[in-house]
Amino acid sequence: MMKKVGILSAVFIAAIAVYFMWEQKSEEKNNAMVYTSMEEASLPVVYTEMYGKKMNLLHGYTQDMKQAVTREALAVLSEDGSMDISVSGYGNSLQGIEYEVRSLDLSRLVERTSVAEWKQEEGEISVRLPIQNLLKKDKEYLLVLTLDTSDKGKLFYYTRIMWTDNTNAKEMIDFALNFTTRTFDYDQARELTTYLETSASEDNSSLGYVSIRSSFSQLTWAGLDMKPEGEIRATLKDLNGIMCTVQLKYNVSRALEDGSSELYEAEDNFTMKWDSRRIYLMDFERNTNQVFSGQKELFSGKRIMLGIAGNDQIRMAKSPSGNNLAYVVSRDLWTFDQNSGHGIKVFSFRSGEDDGLRSNYDQHDIKVLSVSDNGDVDFLVYGYMNRGIHEGSMGIAMYQYKSENNAIEERFFSPVTLPFEMLKEDISSLAHLGTNGMLYLMADQAVYGIDLNSNEYMVLADSLIEGGYAVSSTERHFAWQEGRGLYGSGAIHFMDLDTGVKRDISGGEGNLYRPLGFVGDDFIYGIAREGDMWVQNERPKDAPMYRIEIVDQAGKLVKEYEQENVYISDVSVEEGRIHLTQVVKTGEQSYMPSRPDTIVSTQELSDGSLEGIGWYADQDRRKLYFVQLEKDVVSHAVKVTVPKKVSYETAGIVELKAGDRTQEGRFYAYGGGHYLGSSRDFTDALELAYEKMGIVTDHTQEVLWNRVNRPPSRNIKEPLKAAAPFVNSLEGFSGNRSYGEGVLLMDARGCTLNQVLYFIGRGCPVAAYTGQGGYVLISGYDQYNVTIYNPETGDSQKMGLNDAAAHFAGIGNDFVCGVFME
């Protein structure tokens, strides 16, 4: 009897243990798979069939995006000019397919066609677009594909297309796919060392970023057992002559000892140059970000482990007491209550039900506006909407998470027609929730104030120009000049965005006021005289400032800087230091460099965007990021949940409209598969693209400069005759850019000789001003020399490349370049 009792007791205890272990594993599994409650993604996706591959994954838009998303992909047409696409319908039935082909500037409709037939098999629809033979070879066009669906109405898909005899793209796409695949095998990857440019100065501390200059260990995942998950999705971003840019996106997993795994999102960008002998890898970057799973084990001690990530993928904000934290990691918003140990996955487009192609699409981000001590969070979701009632729209949505109801409430949605990366640039600059109930945000060269009680808005500042405004690091203060003057205006408006109080800074007849930046919340501005214009070779260069003033947030003057006969031509703010570039006047409109100076601020500054985020060096995984907690937490006591619903009952549509916001005066830099920034100054845009082996375009996406696509030599015979429109347009050219006689002129002052040789390669000489009121034409180059043509004497001479570079640098690198436009 005792033996039976013992056996039964042991069985009972074992059953209890198994039950609790099962419940614990089930609970852990549920905690690891938490998703926001919203409608699942429902729109079809489109692929381009190229070179025997499904490439260029395109997402559908419910709004007309015009040319805003044209740089997402480039499709190369087949030899007969047709284009094969496949549509993954995800249950949608198609009622019609049509497409139109336009010039990139949208001014010319080339073709509009309805497709009568398509094939459907197992949810995949195959279509051939019989594009008419109206395209010029090697010229890019915009194709807008419209799918008429039974459930979602008309959906729009955008891509650039090109008809070309260039057959090199296939080999370069294959090269990129082979390169990425080999990085997962140490032995196979040895062949890739030929393409690396490993540098001792490169930072190899984090697997979140790998470049062509990284170590071989960095390239091969530091020996970690990483495995690609699913397909590697390839997108052709650019094909310009001998230059090709390919982007690869894929998921990576790493198995852990306990049977679980970590998931990572990776993106590889390749810039390549074709040569008959080999493919040259000009630039390579890999960005890897760990997907935060929310498993309890990640909450331990005074840390929430986020893992491998890039700096731009992690942000954290605190409530006033510091107890409630809100952190954004890889486009997901989480909160954590340090007192209760309660973690909430507040917002994410990720889904546990679909294949991830739509719900995990990365063209959006989240910005936290405020965190309350009761756990409420106000935040923006901006960019492409992957799921929910706004699926397929590009825009800005404001949400509030209410802890009392454990629900998300949408406050408003504002549709925009900006590419995501440009919208991100604006929202990152300014999106501030004031204590006065107003939300202030920047979008498309304007700043709006939105009353959250009524969803009415005002335009605070319109037609903002580069250098004409400044935002404090806290985003609480915003300053902007009145009007669109390049070198200042008669007044500066200075506003506290918490209170809505605005002050004007002005005074002194003939003074020009220019916003220069902030040190903390102290505002820096400069004052110049209208008559002190700096003119060089008949083109305005600057309006040097004779005085710098700094005021605190109450408008009180705290510092002034002025020296007799010394002017300030440029100001840069770096942490608590204000660096001044100074000049002295040598004539009525001429200046020469003087010694620089620095103003040191005593104001205590915050740590910036990574405040509250720490990292440590792991022996295997290298740099690992974590959220820093003030209190110890125990993993098994942590509770992880999601909001029970997303409510749209009080939401409204806010159509943000301002005045004329023309983009025609700007230059746009792209490189490594991404938008890098824009500027009114061509030289500044070129500098943004230069290190990334990138390109510069105008507002119509016409390529104006390309670092890689340059022939090894070029000589323009009879430059005055060959480039007559360019030479004729030089007279009266006043700077920045101008268009006339079929040629676009650009002020390239400050570029190097090597950078401007590209324009000669395109058949237009470069004007180089001599500093004596005249100019010469650089009309040819080869591996060793440049050819310089004097238009006054008609003589040509050769000069060594290095000697010529030093010569032109010595007289200011004052170039004007031209591009012949069709």
Side-chain angles (χ1 to χ4, degrees):
M1 179 65 70
M2 292 297 294
K3 186 176 181 180
K4 289 180 179 180
V5 170
I7 292 172
L8 290 173
S9 298
V11 170
F12 177 75
I13 292 171
I16 292 292
V18 169
Y19 171 78
F20 279 108
M21 289 174 63
W22 177 267
E23 283 295 304
Q24 178 71 13
K25 285 185 175 292
S26 177
E27 184 180 348
E28 289 175 357
K29 182 178 179 181
N30 289 334
N31 282 328
M33 299 291 286
V34 286
Y35 302 99
T36 304
S37 175
M38 69 172 68
E39 298 87 343
E40 291 292 330
S42 60
L43 302 188
V45 296
V46 173
Y47 291 91
T48 304
E49 301 278 356
M50 290 165 48
Y51 308 119
K53 300 180 178 65
K54 288 174 63 175
M55 294 181 53
N56 293 10
L57 175 63
L58 303 178
H59 294 261
Y61 291 87
T62 57
Q63 70 205 89
D64 180 7
M65 290 299 293
K66 303 187 187 326
Q67 61 184 179
V69 291
T70 58
R71 296 219 75 84
E72 286 188 359
L74 172 65
V76 178
L77 305 182
S78 59
E79 290 184 12
D80 63 2
S82 63
M83 177 178 172
D84 292 325
I85 64 170
S86 62
V87 181
S88 297
Y90 293 102
N92 287 276
S93 60
L94 295 187
Q95 296 178 320
I97 300 175
E98 61 181 25
Y99 65 90
E100 65 177 35
V101 178
R102 289 186 173 272
S103 58
L104 285 183
D105 64 2
L106 306 181
S107 65
R108 187 166 66 93
L109 176 64
V110 179
E111 176 188 356
R112 181 182 286 129
T113 302
S114 294
V115 180
E117 297 180 356
W118 56 84
K119 297 179 181 178
Q120 185 164 352
E121 185 177 352
E122 297 181 356
E124 289 285 322
I125 298 168
S126 299
V127 187
R128 170 160 291 185
L129 307 183
I131 297 172
Q132 298 176 23
N133 187 17
L134 299 173
L135 309 185
K136 292 184 178 180
K137 286 285 184 74
D138 298 314
K139 182 175 176 59
E140 294 181 3
Y141 296 84
L142 171 64
L143 182 138
V144 183
L145 175 71
T146 303
L147 302 183
D148 190 357
T149 65
S150 56
D151 296 332
K152 299 298 179 180
K154 290 190 175 183
L155 305 173
F156 306 99
Y157 300 78
Y158 299 84
T159 182
R160 290 160 20 251
I161 61 173
M162 178 192 290
W163 188 29
T164 179
D165 295 326
N166 186 336
T167 60
N168 307 327
K170 179 184 184 305
E171 292 188 42
M172 289 192 272
I173 293 168
D174 290 342
F175 172 90
L177 287 165
N178 179 64
F179 188 102
T180 291
T181 303
R182 286 176 179 270
T183 62
F184 293 98
D185 187 302
Y186 187 88
D187 292 328
Q188 290 187 20
R190 290 182 183 277
E191 298 179 16
L192 304 179
T193 55
T194 305
Y195 302 101
L196 293 180
E197 299 174 6
T198 300
S199 170
S201 62
E202 186 73 356
D203 183 1
N204 290 297
S205 64
S206 171
L207 289 175
Y209 176 76
V210 178
S211 78
I212 195 172
R213 296 170 295 278
S214 297
S215 66
F216 180 70
S217 174
Q218 189 84 344
L219 178 70
T220 53
W221 304 93
L224 296 176
D225 186 22
M226 295 289 212
K227 304 292 184 184
E229 288 282 334
E231 64 178 356
I232 299 177
R233 302 181 301 280
T235 299
L236 177 62
K237 303 291 285 190
D238 279 296
L239 180 63
N240 190 250
I242 58 174
M243 171 263 204
C244 179
T245 303
V246 174
Q247 184 179 85
L248 305 181
K249 291 185 178 182
Y250 53 99
N251 292 333
V252 183
S253 65
R254 186 175 82 98
L256 304 180
E257 293 180 357
D258 62 2
S260 63
S261 63
E262 296 170 339
L263 182 65
Y264 300 83
E265 294 176 330
E267 178 186 289
D268 293 359
N269 286 287
F270 298 81
T271 301
M272 295 160 282
K273 183 171 78 170
W274 170 262
D275 186 272
S276 58
R277 295 165 295 179
R278 57 171 289 189
I279 294 172
Y280 289 91
L281 183 59
M282 306 302 293
D283 194 38
F284 166 75
E285 286 187 338
R286 180 173 73 209
N287 290 281
T288 306
N289 293 286
Q290 187 169 344
V291 178
F292 181 70
S293 65
Q295 290 178 310
K296 289 186 175 184
E297 289 78 7
L298 300 175
F299 301 80
S300 180
K302 291 186 176 181
R303 294 174 177 173
I304 304 174
M305 289 303 307
L306 305 179
I308 296 171
N311 289 351
D312 61 339
Q313 294 294 309
I314 304 173
R315 294 171 298 282
M316 198 271 282
K318 295 181 180 180
S319 66
S321 68
N323 177 66
N324 283 280
L325 310 178
Y327 55 100
V328 178
V329 52
S330 296
R331 310 181 308 280
D332 298 339
L333 172 60
W334 293 76
T335 62
F336 187 71
D337 185 326
Q338 297 186 77
N339 286 335
S340 65
H342 185 189
I344 304 170
K345 189 174 188 178
V346 174
F347 190 95
S348 174
F349 278 136
R350 300 182 196 278
S351 168
E353 298 187 19
D354 73 355
D355 57 12
L357 290 180
R358 298 168 299 170
S359 59
N360 293 356
Y361 187 41
D362 60 4
Q363 295 299 288
H364 69 275
D365 208 345
I366 298 173
K367 183 165 185 175
V368 176
L369 299 172
S370 70
V371 186
S372 301
D373 285 331
N374 66 356
D376 291 355
V377 183
D378 293 297
F379 61 98
L380 297 179
V381 179
Y382 60 94
Y384 183 89
M385 301 293 153
N386 298 0
R387 295 170 57 191
I389 65 171
H390 305 300
E391 183 187 1
S393 295
M394 182 72 76
I396 306 166
M398 180 181 174
Y399 296 97
Q400 183 179 60
Y401 170 73
K402 294 186 176 181
S403 59
E404 182 181 2
N405 304 325
N406 188 30
I408 297 173
E409 178 183 306
E410 182 176 290
R411 303 299 299 274
F412 71 83
F413 178 76
S414 178
V416 299
T417 53
L418 278 176
F420 164 64
E421 290 177 316
M422 292 186 187
L423 180 60
K424 182 180 178 71
E425 185 179 47
D426 286 343
I427 297 296
S428 299
S429 297
L430 177 58
H432 182 79
L433 181 59
T435 56
N436 58 354
M438 297 286 290
L439 171 66
Y440 299 93
L441 57 84
M442 183 181 295
D444 201 9
Q445 293 182 275
V447 172
Y448 302 89
I450 304 172
D451 188 334
L452 298 179
N453 295 316
S454 63
N455 278 349
E456 295 179 344
Y457 73 91
M458 65 176 182
V459 180
L460 187 65
D462 191 12
S463 303
L464 294 171
I465 64 170
E466 186 179 350
Y469 64 91
V471 183
S472 66
S473 59
T474 62
E475 298 181 33
R476 176 178 172 176
H477 293 96
F478 173 56
W480 70 103
Q481 71 182 39
E482 192 175 83
R484 305 176 74 172
L486 294 178
Y487 306 111
S489 66
I492 293 176
H493 307 296
F494 174 63
M495 190 167 180
D496 185 328
L497 301 183
D498 261 357
T499 63
V501 174
K502 185 175 75 170
R503 298 179 176 87
D504 289 343
I505 299 172
S506 61
E509 186 176 352
N511 277 345
L512 295 175
Y513 290 81
R514 190 188 309 182
L516 298 174
F518 285 85
V519 174
D521 283 304
D522 287 349
F523 174 50
I524 313 160
Y525 59 92
I527 310 172
R529 300 184 185 92
E530 287 183 351
D532 286 338
M533 186 64 66
W534 186 355
V535 178
Q536 190 177 62
N537 293 320
E538 301 181 0
R539 306 190 321 276
K541 180 179 175 68
D542 200 355
M545 300 162 283
Y546 70 89
R547 183 181 177 88
I548 298 291
E549 294 185 350
I550 305 175
V551 295
D552 63 17
Q553 51 190 304
K556 180 183 176 182
L557 183 66
V558 296
K559 178 71 176 178
E560 53 188 351
Y561 181 96
E562 182 178 353
Q563 293 190 27
E564 188 176 0
N565 298 325
V566 176
Y567 294 79
I568 300 103
S569 63
D570 191 26
V571 174
S572 62
V573 181
E574 184 180 358
E575 296 179 342
R577 295 178 177 269
I578 306 166
H579 302 286
L580 310 178
T581 301
Q582 302 193 129
V583 295
V584 293
K585 202 167 189 177
T586 58
E588 186 177 349
Q589 293 184 319
S590 60
Y591 297 78
M592 65 178 295
S594 181
R595 63 176 183 83
D597 205 351
T598 301
I599 302 173
V600 180
S601 171
T602 58
Q603 185 175 153
E604 189 173 329
L605 304 177
S606 65
D607 295 336
S609 60
L610 287 179
E611 186 176 3
I613 301 293
W615 64 270
Y616 70 90
D618 180 77
Q619 182 176 355
D620 298 321
R621 292 181 291 163
R622 300 185 177 172
K623 183 181 284 188
L624 299 179
Y625 289 94
F626 59 84
V627 175
Q628 181 69 60
L629 304 178
E630 296 176 0
K631 303 176 182 179
D632 284 313
V633 296
V634 181
S635 296
H636 69 80
V638 171
K639 180 182 179 182
V640 178
T641 62
V642 297
K644 62 182 181 181
K645 68 174 183 177
V646 181
S647 170
Y648 305 98
E649 296 171 1
T650 60
I653 300 296
V654 178
E655 296 274 0
L656 298 177
K657 295 180 180 178
D660 176 34
R661 301 191 299 277
T662 178
Q663 304 289 331
E664 292 185 9
R666 303 191 71 78
F667 299 97
Y668 298 84
Y670 297 88
H674 291 278
Y675 165 72
L676 303 175
S678 67
S679 176
R680 293 189 78 263
D681 187 90
F682 171 75
T683 302
D684 290 344
L686 186 149
E687 284 301 315
L688 289 173
Y690 189 76
E691 290 300 323
K692 297 288 187 180
M693 295 288 173
I695 63 174
V696 176
T697 75
D698 64 5
H699 68 288
T700 71
Q701 301 301 318
E702 186 79 30
V703 175
L704 304 178
W705 182 85
N706 185 327
R707 182 173 176 184
V708 176
N709 184 33
R710 192 183 85 189
S713 63
R714 180 68 189 268
N715 185 45
I716 302 173
K717 297 181 179 179
E718 300 184 81
L720 282 180
K721 181 179 179 181
F726 170 72
V727 176
N728 294 340
S729 299
L730 280 174
E731 187 176 348
F733 179 61
S734 59
N736 190 28
R737 59 185 288 163
S738 70
Y739 183 80
E741 294 190 44
V743 63
L744 174 67
L745 266 67
M746 294 170 289
D747 191 337
R749 178 167 37 205
C751 293
T752 66
L753 174 64
N754 182 59
Q755 291 168 343
V756 300
L757 294 181
Y758 168 81
F759 298 97
I760 302 168
R762 284 189 65 167
C764 186
V766 171
Y769 286 86
T770 62
Q772 301 172 353
Y775 64 86
V776 295
L777 294 176
I778 307 172
S779 59
Y781 66 89
D782 57 27
Q783 188 178 355
Y784 306 104
N785 302 295
V786 294
T787 302
I788 300 173
Y789 176 83
N790 189 327
E792 292 186 0
T793 64
D795 295 332
S796 293
Q797 69 175 51
K798 288 187 178 294
M799 184 181 291
L801 273 173
N802 292 335
D803 291 340
H807 168 73
F808 289 116
I811 55 177
N813 276 339
D814 194 357
F815 302 114
V816 173
C817 302
V819 174
F820 294 113
M821 311 290 282
E822 296 183 5

